[in-house]
Amino acid sequence: MLQVLRDRLTEDMTAILTQWDCEGVIGSNLIEINEYEEGNGDRAGEKGLLATPIAYQLASERERSPADIAVELADAFRNRREISGIESIEAVDGYVNFYVDEDELTTRTLERILESESAYGQVDDSKAAFFEFSSPNIAKPLHIGHLRNTILGDVLGTILETRGYDLVRDNHIGDWGVQFGHLLSEYEKAIENGEDVAERFDADPIDCLLELYQRYGRHEAELENAGREEDLERVRERGRKYFARLEAGEKPLRERWERFHAASCDRFESIYDRLGVTFDTWHGESFYVTEAWTNRLRVQAYERDVAVETANGAYVIPIYDGDCTNVTDPERADVCTDTPDEISSEEDDPEYEAFVLLKRDGTTTYGMRDLATIAYRTEQYDELFYVVGSEQRDYFQQLFAAARKFGYTDARFTHVDYGLIDLPDGSMSTREGRLITAEEVLDQVHDRAFNVVRENNPSLDETTASKIAEGVTLGTVRFENIAKRRTKNTTFDIEQATALDGDTGPYVQYAATRGVNILRKADSDVPDSSDVTTQPLNEYDHQLAVQLARYPLVLQRCEERYDPAPLAQYLLDLAKSFNKFYHENRVLDAAKARERRLILVAATVHVFESAFEITGIPMLEQM
């Protein structure tokens, strides 16, 4: 009901502003939702559950005080129509406050939840899109940063599906590029040096490949630090030649690379299974090379005169400053399609950035391969999502501009960027050997969760405690990776994150488990929601009902922001409201309000179930 009221008020507000010739301030957040405040009596100084501060935006434009404009706005709302569920409309301190009929809000919200159950808040629509997330590189283990991307992407994808999207979820594996030329080179050098590298690979393929990758990184850094430029170039050139041979399809190298690929994907699968994450496709970079999508673009670049050849033989697309303005929106993008006759051999002309498609040896760049993904995906989808870290923001702007120049003018691109996550001990670096793997993080969280479960319930046997601890582990890791606004950097403190009494996943799980147990102990069917109208409601009932009514609006906000953080905060708010409701009210042994409170508990459990299904947090029967 709260969403319906807000939509109707927004509709009226839009009409009023249009009538006032103030279309410039019309937006999606004209009506705000305030925290619940008890009381239906004298409201002087109180906020309405719904309110608008728009008078402050209009004050300078209309050269009047916010208070005077708010009074005029309140009158305009009253004169338009009567909205069922809104008791009164009042101007207070420059705000227009809309006071809701609390009993009607509670009754109608509970009716809707009990009717919809876990489908409450979902939207029926049909918006097809391609959704890329996780995207680790082969030959390395998943690390803590991949946890951030994978969980954030998985939850956001489910939110979008709840809001009517039909997504194809793709794990765009990083499995191609010159780094694999260096890796193949190091592998062969190890064989030449008499190392038992094949035996080490069979025993632990990812550990073996990571060590070879780090070995190359250390050697490169040593040569660079020593100023041995000729030796450094010789080492790099060897790797480039290996990659050129791989891309040309040389059979022994391709077979060895395929073994690297298969071993990596097996390890990835084990972590994804533990996280409860699945994908529709696993189209890595190699797919677009081996299936000739990069060759098609190579031909198109020549035919359409999109790219130019540099003096050293590379092919690049010039990206001018204005090309990236509004580049994600097909209706507003405006890229320059002219190409210069000449480009400097250093590819650093100050007038533009060079988006490199082909290197001087003819091998593809990751930019060319990313353009090939756009060519492939836009054959079926007009909307493409990329869940990739904030450090790639400029690159994606250039990629989308390059795609527009190639003629992909109808697609809508969305780069969902996010901040870094780290443990308190410090940052990690694969090349320097300080890598914190996802598996290590999950194991550490499980150990801590197991201890918390045993402390909280020492009578549990070890098998049951371990099973619960695995559910708490998943709840902890998933919650922590969506709890902060996605663009912010965050630190994952395992001890704090597994606590039952903080702003944590286990705290939310514990509240939900309490609700499930109340219903189990009730040993009876939940009464019909119409029974609520026959029993008085207190402030804790209303407060909980308001939280339940907010749920669809929270999902809408997550969709608008492409961010699951509002849903994580909502779960904390719901858990706190439910715990307060439980502590202040008797439920099972209530003398006169048992039915009403059981209905509220049932509705709360349904919303927890829905939100847990979206976030991937397990609902536990006991903790």
Side-chain angles (χ1 to χ4, degrees), residues 383-486:
E383 188 162 8
L384 310 181
F385 288 91
Y386 298 81
V387 182
V388 181
S390 299
E391 68 277 7
Q392 294 293 315
R393 188 180 294 126
D394 290 343
Y395 166 75
F396 273 100
Q397 293 291 301
Q398 293 182 7
L399 169 64
F400 301 150
R404 302 287 184 209
K405 290 173 183 282
F406 254 100
Y408 300 104
T409 56
D410 296 331
R412 178 176 296 278
F413 305 117
T414 301
H415 172 208
V416 182
D417 60 341
Y418 59 89
L420 301 175
I421 187 170
D422 207 349
L423 296 174
D425 293 337
S427 62
M428 60 190 149
S429 169
T430 304
R431 292 182 64 182
E432 295 178 10
R434 291 185 283 110
L435 179 69
I436 306 167
T437 69
E439 193 168 16
E440 289 174 325
V441 173
L442 290 170
D443 288 343
Q444 289 181 31
V445 175
H446 183 276
D447 291 344
R448 170 63 182 163
F450 180 81
N451 292 333
V452 171
V453 170
R454 291 299 294 268
E455 290 170 6
N456 189 58
N457 197 340
S459 63
L460 290 175
D461 61 85
E462 187 167 335
T463 301
T464 302
S466 182
K467 183 178 179 180
I468 296 173
E470 190 61 29
V472 173
T473 297
L474 191 53
T476 298
V477 173
R478 279 185 163 271
F479 187 87
E480 285 299 306
N481 278 278
I482 64 171
K484 300 291 191 302
R485 193 173 70 244
R486 64 171 169 83

Side-chain angles (χ1 to χ4, degrees), residues 514-527 587-589 594-595 597-599 601-602:
R514 172 173 284 161
V516 171
N517 288 333
I518 291 172
L519 295 180
R520 184 185 300 115
K521 291 177 182 178
D523 194 28
S524 63
D525 293 334
V526 175
V587 179
L588 295 177
D589 57 352
R594 187 177 192 271
E595 291 80 8
R597 290 175 182 162
L598 278 177
I599 292 170
V601 172

